[in-house]
Amino acid sequence: MHFGSDNVMGASRPVLEAILAANDGAEAAYGSDSWSARAEAMLGEVFERPVKMFLVATGTGANALALAAMTPPWGAIFCHEESHVIDDECGAPEMFTDGAKLIGIPGLAGKIDPAGLSAALARFPRGVVKAVQPAGLSISQVTEAGTLYSLDEIKALTGVARDAGIRVHLDGARFANALAGLGCTAAEMTWKAGVDVVSFGATKNGCIACEAVLFFDEALADTFQFRRKRGGHTVSKGRLLGAQLVAYLENGHWMDNARHANAMAATLAQGLAAVPGVTLPWPTQANEVFAFLPKAVDEAIRGAGFRYAPWGSLSLPKDLEQGDRAFARFVTSWATKPSDINALLAKATSTS
Ligand SMILES: *Cc1c(COP(=O)(O)O)cnc(C)c1O
């Protein structure tokens, strides 16, 4: 009954079993093991081209190190004003980039648009020694509002980035949920749409402290092994991460998990929207539901033991009438039970 986030759940059975299988015997350390090699090859198949894969323990580490590979210390990284990299990483991107500047861009429902990106780029002219120099764009897919950029929206943004000569990073802490939501291929959502570097999250969708930084351009990955080690993210028993990713990708386990989480969110969103007085500010496109709840509904479901996060967002339409209602975020996961969704909806419905 915990909808606080998808990381409130543990790891999935196949992932745990893969750790046990990889646990026996001895293997080379620091990622030079057969499991990690297999995971990298499997990702090459998923993305339909060779990728350079670097495993790290956290999404914050993945993002901060990926951005560091894209920018000099005097660079500017453009992102949504409520992105994880700017709001939720305690300055790790600034630290790992040796002080590059993150430029937050406003946008509805967690998304930035090409006009917003162009306007932000214009504030930092090339060659002007007083200004940080444009170096990268970071977009989140799934966004911090639980929404998705369409493929056309990604391409429009990466087009502006390409014209400005900057690289593109995709924060895919919920990469599988995004793929399941869009129903496209991993290649279409990334390199075919102009993305250079991906933080490929696995932890939230069934793994334990296992995230991959993926490069499609080997040159950009050139110094990454040193950055990762210097940043304290080169895991010595790396095979136990590699094994997780193998199990995660094998037999479509990762996509099964994501489709389940998204289906649970869709049911929850549909049910909540039918409760009198409840409104959703934007569509539920992956595994996060945002809703305005009448105070009585909020108190009743909270009182019944359901846990979820009170929320606030700059991404809401400015003219939105919140009234005397609570704003809440519910996150579903690979392990969410349909009975929990039904129980929550029953309580909300009987209260209203
Ligand atoms: C969860 C999350 C991350 C990763 O966070 P860690 O807690 O450092 O693993 C990164 N980006 C987004 C959008 C997230 O939701």
Side-chain angles (χ1 to χ4, degrees), residues 36-340:
S36 299
R38 205 167 137 210
E40 187 175 53
M42 288 172 86
L43 284 165
E45 281 170 32
V46 164
F47 283 89
E48 302 170 51
R49 69 181 274 177
V51 296
K52 287 295 287 178
M53 174 199 84
F54 298 87
L55 299 180
V56 296
T58 68
T60 296
N63 286 342
L65 288 165
L67 296 181
M70 294 163 52
T71 181
W74 53 88
I77 301 282
F78 299 89
C79 56
H80 188 273
E81 64 176 345
E82 288 185 305
S83 60
H84 201 273
V85 290
I86 205 168
D87 266 1
D88 300 307
E89 300 190 349
C90 198
E94 290 87 338
M95 183 175 78
F96 282 32
T97 58
D98 293 317
K101 195 173 175 89
L102 269 63
I103 310 295
I105 301 172
L108 290 177
K111 300 201 272 186
I112 55 182
D113 62 27
L117 176 57
S118 296
L121 279 161
R123 291 169 49 209
F124 301 94
R126 285 222 181 263
V128 172
V129 80
K130 291 195 293 183
V132 283
Q133 297 294 290
L137 164 68
S138 178
I139 56 172
S140 304
Q141 179 84 323
V142 177
T143 73
E144 284 73 11
T147 53
L148 294 173
Y149 290 98
S150 69
L151 295 185
D152 284 342
E153 286 172 332
I154 296 175
K155 284 180 200 154
L157 287 171
T158 62
V160 174
R162 195 178 335 100
D163 291 346
I166 69 176
R167 298 288 199 161
V168 180
H169 165 251
L170 186 141
D171 176 357
R174 297 189 175 92
F175 191 93
N177 303 96
L179 269 196
L182 281 189
C184 65
T185 67
E188 284 165 348
M189 198 169 82
T190 57
W191 61 272
K192 285 186 177 174
V195 173
D196 299 299
V197 189
V198 175
S199 296
F200 182 86
T203 304
K204 283 174 171 151
N205 194 37
C207 291
I208 309 170
C210 183
E211 312 270 309
V213 180
L214 306 179
F215 290 91
F216 302 117
D217 175 355
E218 275 212 32
L220 205 55
D222 210 23
T223 55
F224 199 82
Q225 57 175 329
F226 304 108
R227 287 186 193 285
R228 180 177 62 168
K229 179 62 182 167
R230 188 165 184 255
H233 268 280
T234 301
V235 174
S236 80
K237 294 185 181 175
R239 76 174 190 272
L240 300 181
L241 298 192
Q244 290 183 57
L245 215 49
V246 168
Y248 183 68
L249 296 170
E250 215 158 45
N251 304 319
H253 179 53
W254 63 305
M255 292 305 294
D256 289 343
N257 281 359
R259 275 190 286 266
H260 173 79
N262 288 11
M264 292 294 98
T267 307
L268 179 59
Q270 206 179 10
L272 282 177
V275 175
V278 174
T279 53
L280 279 55
W282 44 66
T284 297
Q285 296 179 306
N287 65 321
E288 296 172 80
V289 181
F290 292 78
F292 291 102
L293 309 171
K295 285 273 155 64
V297 172
D298 183 45
E299 278 159 23
I301 50 181
R302 219 173 268 288
F306 292 98
R307 295 170 71 180
Y308 48 94
W311 213 252
S313 179
L314 302 172
S315 287
L316 293 166
K318 296 285 171 274
D319 57 354
L320 189 129
E321 300 279 349
Q322 178 164 348
D324 187 29
R325 295 185 297 172
F327 188 38
R329 183 188 80 160
F330 302 83
V331 185
T332 57
S333 80
W334 66 275
T336 300
K337 295 197 208 70
S339 56
D340 284 348

Side-chain angles (χ1 to χ4, degrees), residues 12-24:
S12 72
R13 270 302 124 174
V15 167
L16 292 171
E17 278 159 16
I19 292 174
L20 284 178
N23 196 53
D24 289 335

